[in-house]
Amino acid sequence: MTATEVPEKKRSLSYERAGVNIATGEEVVTTIKSMVQKTYTPRVLSDIGGFGGLFDARFPDMEFPVLVSSTDSVGTKVKIAIESRRNNTVGQDLVNHCVNDILVCGAKPLFFLDYFATGKLRTYVAEGIVAGLVKACEENGCALIGGETAEMPGIYSGEDYDLAGTIVGIAEKDRLFKQEYVAEGDLLIGLRSNGLHTNGYSLARHVLLSKYILDATPSILGGETIGDALLQIHRSYLKPIWTLLERFSPKNDIHALSHITGGGIIGNTSRVVPEGLTLDIDWNAWTPLPIFQFIQQTGHISDDEMRKAFNMGIGLILLVTPSRASEIEQALIELGEEPVRMGRIVKS
């Protein structure tokens, strides 16, 4: 056959043969529609399936409303979810992480949008992820008004997927936290995490999964499997913090908040401290969770490296004026928290 000849029977190409199944995507949308609608508030003006989410932006009860937004992902924690075949928690991780990010600015969530990408779309995986997103959105009073499900063969292999999201919240301008409020002598009050949250997983996986399986139950974890410990859901601090903010002023009482994510306690809290001041952390004020101790012992990791990679058991920090610290701590205890007085702001 010459180069100019055409085979008698040539199979026609299709999008599905290239690895993208539009029918499966439509099935997923149909399946998740009723779940997503449970998050809708009266401000949602659109339904799932449109080109964009519509949200009523009138705030007549606010004097100077400010929109606050943030985008993030779950990082390599998804690898633990994939290997454990437990996909219903990472959606909660993602929403709660984003809620905390705008919370420390002084904002309350309004709506959320997600991005889910995979090599081959599996309905049960997508349903599990959306179920987690929906659960966290309901718990945080946040509407899930849109998102994207992308089937990308050649980019993701096997059962791999990635998950990211964007949140938009609202704050009163004069209730926003400002770096200039932070002063020498301010006390640091930590709220406890329940695990790694969504940071440090590349190091944790490298250390633990080279020696153990996810179903292993080392004694240091008190009978909990490694997989369970690593998949603990990232806490949302919205309810206790917002209750505090109804009672205490950002300017006079609580000067700043810090969400402890990648970079650890020092890396994140330094972002809200003005030039000329620094952190004086009392690392003996609390005991890190067993999972952190297990990672450090297994990998022979230094204290400094652990503190850079992980939250070490503290998920959010309040920087408060000393004269109100005891009252704020008592309020937190009444809200079911175990506050840790963990240091102060000093001159650098």
Side-chain angles (χ1 to χ4, degrees), residues 129-191:
I129 289 170
V130 173
L133 293 168
V134 167
K135 179 175 174 60
C137 281
E138 286 187 294
E139 291 174 348
N140 289 286
C142 181
L144 180 59
I145 67 168
E148 166 69 359
T149 300
E151 197 170 18
M152 302 169 65
I155 301 296
Y156 299 94
S157 60
E159 297 190 2
D160 284 349
Y161 62 78
D162 198 8
L163 184 64
T166 295
I167 195 166
V168 175
I170 190 76
E172 190 71 75
K173 185 180 180 183
D174 65 4
R175 300 284 293 181
L176 289 168
F177 291 102
K178 297 180 181 178
Q179 194 181 61
E180 64 195 56
Y181 295 159
V182 177
E184 180 184 3
D186 280 357
L187 298 180
L188 308 179
I189 298 176
L191 298 189

Tab-separated table of all heavy atoms in Angstrom, residues 129-191:
chain	number	residue	atom	x	y	z
A	129	ILE	N	-16.241	12.017	47.026
A	129	ILE	CA	-15.620	13.332	47.200
A	129	ILE	C	-16.676	14.415	47.381
A	129	ILE	O	-16.587	15.252	48.293
A	129	ILE	CB	-14.724	13.650	45.993
A	129	ILE	CG1	-13.473	12.749	46.039
A	129	ILE	CG2	-14.318	15.119	45.985
A	129	ILE	CD1	-12.641	12.800	44.789
A	130	VAL	N	-17.706	14.391	46.534
A	130	VAL	CA	-18.758	15.407	46.626
A	130	VAL	C	-19.513	15.272	47.946
A	130	VAL	O	-19.893	16.282	48.556
A	130	VAL	CB	-19.718	15.316	45.427
A	130	VAL	CG1	-20.912	16.246	45.614
A	130	VAL	CG2	-18.977	15.681	44.141
A	131	ALA	N	-19.711	14.047	48.410
A	131	ALA	CA	-20.383	13.852	49.701
A	131	ALA	C	-19.604	14.547	50.813
A	131	ALA	O	-20.197	15.160	51.722
A	131	ALA	CB	-20.527	12.365	50.002
A	132	GLY	N	-18.274	14.471	50.751
A	132	GLY	CA	-17.452	15.166	51.741
A	132	GLY	C	-17.553	16.669	51.614
A	132	GLY	O	-17.645	17.393	52.621
A	133	LEU	N	-17.521	17.171	50.385
A	133	LEU	CA	-17.670	18.608	50.158
A	133	LEU	C	-18.996	19.105	50.710
A	133	LEU	O	-19.068	20.142	51.385
A	133	LEU	CB	-17.594	18.912	48.657
A	133	LEU	CG	-16.255	18.674	47.951
A	133	LEU	CD1	-16.441	18.745	46.437
A	133	LEU	CD2	-15.214	19.686	48.395
A	134	VAL	N	-20.057	18.366	50.422
A	134	VAL	CA	-21.397	18.752	50.857
A	134	VAL	C	-21.496	18.762	52.381
A	134	VAL	O	-22.030	19.710	52.973
A	134	VAL	CB	-22.454	17.802	50.254
A	134	VAL	CG1	-23.810	17.967	50.942
A	134	VAL	CG2	-22.595	18.053	48.754
A	135	LYS	N	-20.975	17.725	53.011
A	135	LYS	CA	-21.038	17.640	54.480
A	135	LYS	C	-20.360	18.842	55.130
A	135	LYS	O	-20.916	19.477	56.028
A	135	LYS	CB	-20.381	16.343	54.952
A	135	LYS	CG	-20.369	16.159	56.467
A	135	LYS	CD	-19.805	14.807	56.851
A	135	LYS	CE	-19.651	14.666	58.370
A	135	LYS	NZ	-20.936	14.807	59.080
A	136	ALA	N	-19.163	19.176	54.652
A	136	ALA	CA	-18.432	20.302	55.240
A	136	ALA	C	-19.109	21.634	54.921
A	136	ALA	O	-19.138	22.537	55.763
A	136	ALA	CB	-16.987	20.310	54.754
A	137	CYS	N	-19.633	21.773	53.714
A	137	CYS	CA	-20.332	23.018	53.371
A	137	CYS	C	-21.555	23.214	54.259
A	137	CYS	O	-21.812	24.328	54.744
A	137	CYS	CB	-20.742	23.000	51.896
A	137	CYS	SG	-19.392	23.394	50.748
A	138	GLU	N	-22.294	22.145	54.498
A	138	GLU	CA	-23.464	22.249	55.382
A	138	GLU	C	-23.032	22.636	56.792
A	138	GLU	O	-23.662	23.486	57.436
A	138	GLU	CB	-24.210	20.919	55.413
A	138	GLU	CG	-24.999	20.617	54.150
A	138	GLU	CD	-25.842	19.366	54.301
A	138	GLU	OE1	-25.268	18.274	54.424
A	138	GLU	OE2	-27.085	19.487	54.301
A	139	GLU	N	-21.969	22.021	57.294
A	139	GLU	CA	-21.511	22.300	58.655
A	139	GLU	C	-21.007	23.723	58.812
A	139	GLU	O	-21.086	24.304	59.907
A	139	GLU	CB	-20.405	21.317	59.032
A	139	GLU	CG	-20.897	19.881	59.208
A	139	GLU	CD	-19.778	18.885	59.437
A	139	GLU	OE1	-18.606	19.249	59.246
A	139	GLU	OE2	-20.077	17.744	59.822
A	140	ASN	N	-20.491	24.305	57.732
A	140	ASN	CA	-19.950	25.668	57.787
A	140	ASN	C	-20.899	26.725	57.246
A	140	ASN	O	-20.520	27.889	57.131
A	140	ASN	CB	-18.627	25.719	57.005
A	140	ASN	CG	-17.495	24.989	57.705
A	140	ASN	OD1	-16.950	25.470	58.694
A	140	ASN	ND2	-17.137	23.812	57.209
A	141	GLY	N	-22.129	26.338	56.909
A	141	GLY	CA	-23.100	27.289	56.384
A	141	GLY	C	-22.678	27.890	55.061
A	141	GLY	O	-22.887	29.076	54.806
A	142	CYS	N	-22.079	27.060	54.213
A	142	CYS	CA	-21.473	27.515	52.961
A	142	CYS	C	-22.139	26.799	51.787
A	142	CYS	O	-22.331	25.580	51.824
A	142	CYS	CB	-19.977	27.179	53.022
A	142	CYS	SG	-19.012	27.677	51.613
A	143	ALA	N	-22.497	27.519	50.745
A	143	ALA	CA	-23.158	26.926	49.583
A	143	ALA	C	-22.129	26.416	48.575
A	143	ALA	O	-21.173	27.125	48.239
A	143	ALA	CB	-24.070	27.949	48.919
A	144	LEU	N	-22.314	25.202	48.117
A	144	LEU	CA	-21.481	24.644	47.054
A	144	LEU	C	-22.167	24.977	45.735
A	144	LEU	O	-23.065	24.268	45.289
A	144	LEU	CB	-21.340	23.121	47.237
A	144	LEU	CG	-20.505	22.360	46.205
A	144	LEU	CD1	-19.075	22.878	46.149
A	144	LEU	CD2	-20.516	20.869	46.524
A	145	ILE	N	-21.758	26.073	45.103
A	145	ILE	CA	-22.526	26.581	43.960
A	145	ILE	C	-21.920	26.241	42.601
A	145	ILE	O	-22.490	26.606	41.571
A	145	ILE	CB	-22.741	28.113	44.045
A	145	ILE	CG1	-21.413	28.861	43.891
A	145	ILE	CG2	-23.429	28.501	45.330
A	145	ILE	CD1	-21.619	30.354	43.678
A	146	GLY	N	-20.797	25.538	42.581
A	146	GLY	CA	-20.220	25.210	41.274
A	146	GLY	C	-18.951	24.404	41.410
A	146	GLY	O	-18.444	24.176	42.514
A	147	GLY	N	-18.447	23.972	40.280
A	147	GLY	CA	-17.213	23.211	40.274
A	147	GLY	C	-16.914	22.662	38.898
A	147	GLY	O	-17.634	22.934	37.934
A	148	GLU	N	-15.852	21.887	38.816
A	148	GLU	CA	-15.425	21.292	37.548
A	148	GLU	C	-14.940	19.873	37.812
A	148	GLU	O	-14.156	19.625	38.740
A	148	GLU	CB	-14.306	22.124	36.926
A	148	GLU	CG	-13.544	21.459	35.802
A	148	GLU	CD	-14.356	21.258	34.530
A	148	GLU	OE1	-15.556	21.626	34.516
A	148	GLU	OE2	-13.804	20.733	33.551
A	149	THR	N	-15.427	18.944	37.014
A	149	THR	CA	-14.944	17.568	37.032
A	149	THR	C	-14.238	17.320	35.713
A	149	THR	O	-14.870	17.347	34.657
A	149	THR	CB	-16.100	16.574	37.230
A	149	THR	OG1	-16.754	16.845	38.467
A	149	THR	CG2	-15.587	15.140	37.235
A	150	ALA	N	-12.932	17.088	35.768
A	150	ALA	CA	-12.126	16.962	34.552
A	150	ALA	C	-11.565	15.553	34.433
A	150	ALA	O	-10.900	15.069	35.357
A	150	ALA	CB	-10.989	17.978	34.565
A	151	GLU	N	-11.840	14.908	33.304
A	151	GLU	CA	-11.269	13.598	33.010
A	151	GLU	C	-10.076	13.833	32.091
A	151	GLU	O	-10.232	14.297	30.963
A	151	GLU	CB	-12.312	12.700	32.355
A	151	GLU	CG	-11.950	11.236	32.375
A	151	GLU	CD	-13.105	10.345	31.949
A	151	GLU	OE1	-14.058	10.841	31.321
A	151	GLU	OE2	-13.058	9.137	32.246
A	152	MET	N	-8.870	13.496	32.578
A	152	MET	CA	-7.644	13.886	31.879
A	152	MET	C	-6.696	12.699	31.717
A	152	MET	O	-5.676	12.604	32.401
A	152	MET	CB	-6.965	15.034	32.625
A	152	MET	CG	-7.845	16.261	32.783
A	152	MET	SD	-7.181	17.499	33.921
A	152	MET	CE	-5.711	18.003	33.053
A	153	PRO	N	-7.017	11.759	30.821
A	153	PRO	CA	-6.107	10.642	30.584
A	153	PRO	C	-4.784	11.150	30.025
A	153	PRO	O	-4.741	12.082	29.227
A	153	PRO	CB	-6.867	9.801	29.543
A	153	PRO	CG	-7.797	10.760	28.880
A	153	PRO	CD	-8.198	11.738	29.932
A	154	GLY	N	-3.701	10.549	30.473
A	154	GLY	CA	-2.381	11.002	30.040
A	154	GLY	C	-1.763	11.961	31.030
A	154	GLY	O	-0.540	12.135	31.051
A	155	ILE	N	-2.587	12.593	31.848
A	155	ILE	CA	-2.088	13.478	32.905
A	155	ILE	C	-2.085	12.730	34.235
A	155	ILE	O	-1.112	12.754	34.981
A	155	ILE	CB	-2.934	14.759	33.011
A	155	ILE	CG1	-2.931	15.518	31.681
A	155	ILE	CG2	-2.416	15.651	34.138
A	155	ILE	CD1	-1.564	16.027	31.261
A	156	TYR	N	-3.190	12.046	34.529
A	156	TYR	CA	-3.298	11.243	35.741
A	156	TYR	C	-3.377	9.775	35.340
A	156	TYR	O	-4.058	9.434	34.366
A	156	TYR	CB	-4.555	11.621	36.537
A	156	TYR	CG	-4.568	13.060	36.991
A	156	TYR	CD1	-5.192	14.047	36.222
A	156	TYR	CD2	-3.968	13.443	38.180
A	156	TYR	CE1	-5.202	15.369	36.630
A	156	TYR	CE2	-3.972	14.770	38.597
A	156	TYR	CZ	-4.593	15.716	37.818
A	156	TYR	OH	-4.602	17.025	38.219
A	157	SER	N	-2.702	8.906	36.082
A	157	SER	CA	-2.696	7.486	35.754
A	157	SER	C	-3.365	6.678	36.856
A	157	SER	O	-3.468	7.134	38.011
A	157	SER	CB	-1.258	6.990	35.555
A	157	SER	OG	-0.500	7.186	36.741
A	158	GLY	N	-3.807	5.468	36.502
A	158	GLY	CA	-4.446	4.602	37.481
A	158	GLY	C	-5.655	5.256	38.118
A	158	GLY	O	-6.510	5.813	37.423
A	159	GLU	N	-5.718	5.214	39.441
A	159	GLU	CA	-6.841	5.803	40.159
A	159	GLU	C	-6.498	7.174	40.748
A	159	GLU	O	-7.247	7.714	41.566
A	159	GLU	CB	-7.296	4.856	41.279
A	159	GLU	CG	-7.809	3.524	40.748
A	159	GLU	CD	-8.484	2.690	41.830
A	159	GLU	OE1	-8.587	3.180	42.978
A	159	GLU	OE2	-8.913	1.575	41.527
A	160	ASP	N	-5.377	7.750	40.325
A	160	ASP	CA	-4.960	9.050	40.846
A	160	ASP	C	-5.970	10.145	40.522
A	160	ASP	O	-6.622	10.124	39.476
A	160	ASP	CB	-3.597	9.452	40.278
A	160	ASP	CG	-2.450	8.694	40.931
A	160	ASP	OD1	-2.696	8.017	41.947
A	160	ASP	OD2	-1.325	8.780	40.419
A	161	TYR	N	-6.073	11.092	41.442
A	161	TYR	CA	-6.887	12.285	41.189
A	161	TYR	C	-6.316	13.434	41.993
A	161	TYR	O	-5.466	13.254	42.865
A	161	TYR	CB	-8.364	12.050	41.522
A	161	TYR	CG	-8.686	11.726	42.961
A	161	TYR	CD1	-8.729	12.713	43.952
A	161	TYR	CD2	-8.993	10.416	43.347
A	161	TYR	CE1	-9.048	12.418	45.261
A	161	TYR	CE2	-9.308	10.103	44.659
A	161	TYR	CZ	-9.343	11.102	45.613
A	161	TYR	OH	-9.662	10.811	46.917
A	162	ASP	N	-6.793	14.627	41.698
A	162	ASP	CA	-6.408	15.807	42.457
A	162	ASP	C	-7.666	16.590	42.799
A	162	ASP	O	-8.687	16.494	42.097
A	162	ASP	CB	-5.438	16.682	41.670
A	162	ASP	CG	-4.675	17.660	42.580
A	162	ASP	OD1	-4.795	17.532	43.819
A	162	ASP	OD2	-3.983	18.539	42.057
A	163	LEU	N	-7.597	17.349	43.873
A	163	LEU	CA	-8.764	18.071	44.366
A	163	LEU	C	-8.333	19.439	44.869
A	163	LEU	O	-7.397	19.558	45.661
A	163	LEU	CB	-9.415	17.278	45.502
A	163	LEU	CG	-10.706	17.827	46.093
A	163	LEU	CD1	-11.823	17.831	45.045
A	163	LEU	CD2	-11.135	16.977	47.294
A	164	ALA	N	-9.000	20.471	44.384
A	164	ALA	CA	-8.720	21.841	44.805
A	164	ALA	C	-10.038	22.600	44.898
A	164	ALA	O	-11.072	22.140	44.408
A	164	ALA	CB	-7.768	22.531	43.824
A	165	GLY	N	-9.996	23.767	45.528
A	165	GLY	CA	-11.234	24.521	45.668
A	165	GLY	C	-10.991	25.986	45.954
A	165	GLY	O	-9.899	26.392	46.370
A	166	THR	N	-12.031	26.763	45.725
A	166	THR	CA	-12.006	28.207	45.987
A	166	THR	C	-13.197	28.567	46.862
A	166	THR	O	-14.319	28.107	46.625
A	166	THR	CB	-12.078	28.997	44.673
A	166	THR	OG1	-10.898	28.744	43.908
A	166	THR	CG2	-12.194	30.495	44.945
A	167	ILE	N	-12.939	29.380	47.871
A	167	ILE	CA	-13.995	29.830	48.769
A	167	ILE	C	-14.107	31.345	48.701
A	167	ILE	O	-13.108	32.043	48.470
A	167	ILE	CB	-13.715	29.365	50.214
A	167	ILE	CG1	-14.966	29.495	51.081
A	167	ILE	CG2	-12.546	30.136	50.835
A	167	ILE	CD1	-14.853	28.756	52.403
A	168	VAL	N	-15.316	31.838	48.855
A	168	VAL	CA	-15.562	33.279	48.948
A	168	VAL	C	-16.386	33.535	50.197
A	168	VAL	O	-17.399	32.868	50.445
A	168	VAL	CB	-16.300	33.817	47.704
A	168	VAL	CG1	-16.656	35.300	47.894
A	168	VAL	CG2	-15.457	33.628	46.451
A	169	GLY	N	-15.911	34.479	51.009
A	169	GLY	CA	-16.608	34.825	52.237
A	169	GLY	C	-16.831	36.318	52.349
A	169	GLY	O	-16.456	37.091	51.461
A	170	ILE	N	-17.427	36.711	53.453
A	170	ILE	CA	-17.790	38.114	53.645
A	170	ILE	C	-17.317	38.581	55.025
A	170	ILE	O	-17.353	37.827	55.994
A	170	ILE	CB	-19.327	38.305	53.518
A	170	ILE	CG1	-19.701	39.777	53.467
A	170	ILE	CG2	-20.069	37.570	54.609
A	170	ILE	CD1	-19.431	40.431	52.142
A	171	ALA	N	-16.870	39.838	55.087
A	171	ALA	CA	-16.431	40.423	56.358
A	171	ALA	C	-16.818	41.893	56.392
A	171	ALA	O	-16.891	42.557	55.354
A	171	ALA	CB	-14.924	40.287	56.527
A	172	GLU	N	-17.080	42.383	57.577
A	172	GLU	CA	-17.265	43.817	57.773
A	172	GLU	C	-15.876	44.444	57.795
A	172	GLU	O	-14.967	43.938	58.469
A	172	GLU	CB	-17.990	44.067	59.087
A	172	GLU	CG	-18.447	45.486	59.306
A	172	GLU	CD	-19.607	45.906	58.411
A	172	GLU	OE1	-20.748	45.484	58.656
A	172	GLU	OE2	-19.334	46.685	57.455
A	173	LYS	N	-15.692	45.523	57.058
A	173	LYS	CA	-14.358	46.099	56.907
A	173	LYS	C	-13.708	46.423	58.244
A	173	LYS	O	-12.522	46.134	58.465
A	173	LYS	CB	-14.411	47.347	56.036
A	173	LYS	CG	-13.034	47.930	55.740
A	173	LYS	CD	-13.099	49.170	54.863
A	173	LYS	CE	-11.710	49.725	54.591
A	173	LYS	NZ	-11.747	50.963	53.791
A	174	ASP	N	-14.455	47.003	59.170
A	174	ASP	CA	-13.847	47.399	60.435
A	174	ASP	C	-13.686	46.222	61.402
A	174	ASP	O	-13.221	46.397	62.529
A	174	ASP	CB	-14.621	48.544	61.092
A	174	ASP	CG	-16.036	48.159	61.504
A	174	ASP	OD1	-16.401	46.970	61.344
A	174	ASP	OD2	-16.766	49.029	61.991
A	175	ARG	N	-14.045	45.004	60.949
A	175	ARG	CA	-13.840	43.811	61.768
A	175	ARG	C	-12.747	42.912	61.200
A	175	ARG	O	-12.511	41.818	61.704
A	175	ARG	CB	-15.145	43.008	61.873
A	175	ARG	CG	-16.307	43.752	62.506
A	175	ARG	CD	-16.176	43.853	63.991
A	175	ARG	NE	-16.277	42.567	64.666
A	175	ARG	CZ	-16.203	42.415	65.986
A	175	ARG	NH1	-15.984	43.466	66.774
A	175	ARG	NH2	-16.303	41.214	66.537
A	176	LEU	N	-12.076	43.377	60.153
A	176	LEU	CA	-10.962	42.626	59.595
A	176	LEU	C	-9.754	42.712	60.528
A	176	LEU	O	-9.532	43.735	61.184
A	176	LEU	CB	-10.577	43.189	58.219
A	176	LEU	CG	-11.550	42.943	57.070
A	176	LEU	CD1	-11.168	43.808	55.872
A	176	LEU	CD2	-11.579	41.468	56.672
A	177	PHE	N	-8.982	41.645	60.575
A	177	PHE	CA	-7.749	41.671	61.359
A	177	PHE	C	-6.664	42.412	60.586
A	177	PHE	O	-6.567	42.306	59.365
A	177	PHE	CB	-7.279	40.243	61.656
A	177	PHE	CG	-8.180	39.510	62.610
A	177	PHE	CD1	-9.083	38.568	62.149
A	177	PHE	CD2	-8.126	39.772	63.967
A	177	PHE	CE1	-9.919	37.891	63.015
A	177	PHE	CE2	-8.962	39.104	64.857
A	177	PHE	CZ	-9.864	38.165	64.376
A	178	LYS	N	-5.857	43.181	61.311
A	178	LYS	CA	-4.775	43.934	60.685
A	178	LYS	C	-3.473	43.663	61.425
A	178	LYS	O	-3.453	43.595	62.664
A	178	LYS	CB	-5.075	45.430	60.694
A	178	LYS	CG	-6.310	45.822	59.887
A	178	LYS	CD	-6.550	47.323	59.943
A	178	LYS	CE	-7.795	47.714	59.164
A	178	LYS	NZ	-8.050	49.177	59.250
A	179	GLN	N	-2.407	43.553	60.667
A	179	GLN	CA	-1.102	43.297	61.251
A	179	GLN	C	-0.722	44.366	62.265
A	179	GLN	O	-0.066	44.084	63.276
A	179	GLN	CB	-0.061	43.212	60.125
A	179	GLN	CG	1.269	42.624	60.533
A	179	GLN	CD	2.249	42.604	59.385
A	179	GLN	OE1	2.608	43.647	58.841
A	179	GLN	NE2	2.703	41.408	59.006
A	180	GLU	N	-1.161	45.588	62.016
A	180	GLU	CA	-0.781	46.705	62.892
A	180	GLU	C	-1.378	46.594	64.293
A	180	GLU	O	-0.924	47.259	65.231
A	180	GLU	CB	-1.233	48.026	62.264
A	180	GLU	CG	-2.733	48.164	62.139
A	180	GLU	CD	-3.134	49.283	61.193
A	180	GLU	OE1	-2.706	49.262	60.025
A	180	GLU	OE2	-3.897	50.167	61.640
A	181	TYR	N	-2.402	45.735	64.466
A	181	TYR	CA	-2.988	45.558	65.795
A	181	TYR	C	-2.062	44.774	66.723
A	181	TYR	O	-2.136	44.902	67.947
A	181	TYR	CB	-4.322	44.817	65.709
A	181	TYR	CG	-5.425	45.554	64.975
A	181	TYR	CD1	-6.520	44.858	64.451
A	181	TYR	CD2	-5.388	46.931	64.806
A	181	TYR	CE1	-7.541	45.514	63.786
A	181	TYR	CE2	-6.405	47.602	64.137
A	181	TYR	CZ	-7.476	46.887	63.628
A	181	TYR	OH	-8.493	47.534	62.961
A	182	VAL	N	-1.201	43.938	66.163
A	182	VAL	CA	-0.332	43.074	66.959
A	182	VAL	C	0.728	43.909	67.653
A	182	VAL	O	1.383	44.755	67.037
A	182	VAL	CB	0.324	41.999	66.075
A	182	VAL	CG1	1.291	41.136	66.891
A	182	VAL	CG2	-0.753	41.124	65.429
A	183	ALA	N	0.910	43.661	68.962
A	183	ALA	CA	1.825	44.494	69.758
A	183	ALA	C	2.718	43.617	70.629
A	183	ALA	O	2.406	42.461	70.930
A	183	ALA	CB	1.031	45.458	70.630
A	184	GLU	N	3.830	44.196	71.052
A	184	GLU	CA	4.729	43.504	71.970
A	184	GLU	C	3.970	43.120	73.239
A	184	GLU	O	3.192	43.921	73.773
A	184	GLU	CB	5.909	44.413	72.331
A	184	GLU	CG	6.901	43.771	73.281
A	184	GLU	CD	8.003	44.730	73.707
A	184	GLU	OE1	7.961	45.913	73.299
A	184	GLU	OE2	8.893	44.302	74.471
A	185	GLY	N	4.167	41.916	73.679
A	185	GLY	CA	3.490	41.439	74.882
A	185	GLY	C	2.232	40.641	74.600
A	185	GLY	O	1.704	39.970	75.503
A	186	ASP	N	1.702	40.708	73.382
A	186	ASP	CA	0.521	39.902	73.050
A	186	ASP	C	0.798	38.432	73.333
A	186	ASP	O	1.897	37.922	73.063
A	186	ASP	CB	0.153	40.067	71.575
A	186	ASP	CG	-0.612	41.349	71.303
A	186	ASP	OD1	-0.910	42.080	72.261
A	186	ASP	OD2	-0.913	41.616	70.118
A	187	LEU	N	-0.200	37.744	73.855
A	187	LEU	CA	-0.053	36.331	74.179
A	187	LEU	C	-0.564	35.456	73.045
A	187	LEU	O	-1.506	35.830	72.336
A	187	LEU	CB	-0.808	36.013	75.472
A	187	LEU	CG	-0.328	36.744	76.728
A	187	LEU	CD1	-1.169	36.340	77.929
A	187	LEU	CD2	1.146	36.453	76.998
A	188	LEU	N	0.053	34.295	72.887
A	188	LEU	CA	-0.345	33.329	71.865
A	188	LEU	C	-1.170	32.230	72.524
A	188	LEU	O	-0.707	31.561	73.453
A	188	LEU	CB	0.883	32.706	71.198
A	188	LEU	CG	1.929	33.666	70.638
A	188	LEU	CD1	3.090	32.876	70.035
A	188	LEU	CD2	1.321	34.585	69.597
A	189	ILE	N	-2.396	32.067	72.050
A	189	ILE	CA	-3.276	31.019	72.558
A	189	ILE	C	-3.569	30.061	71.415
A	189	ILE	O	-4.137	30.450	70.387
A	189	ILE	CB	-4.584	31.595	73.126
A	189	ILE	CG1	-4.280	32.517	74.316
A	189	ILE	CG2	-5.532	30.476	73.540
A	189	ILE	CD1	-5.505	33.210	74.878
A	190	GLY	N	-3.172	28.810	71.566
A	190	GLY	CA	-3.341	27.831	70.509
A	190	GLY	C	-4.585	26.992	70.685
A	190	GLY	O	-4.977	26.660	71.810
A	191	LEU	N	-5.232	26.663	69.554
A	191	LEU	CA	-6.331	25.701	69.545
A	191	LEU	C	-5.811	24.420	68.915
A	191	LEU	O	-5.119	24.449	67.891
A	191	LEU	CB	-7.520	26.246	68.743
A	191	LEU	CG	-8.157	27.531	69.270
A	191	LEU	CD1	-9.438	27.833	68.506
A	191	LEU	CD2	-8.453	27.426	70.758
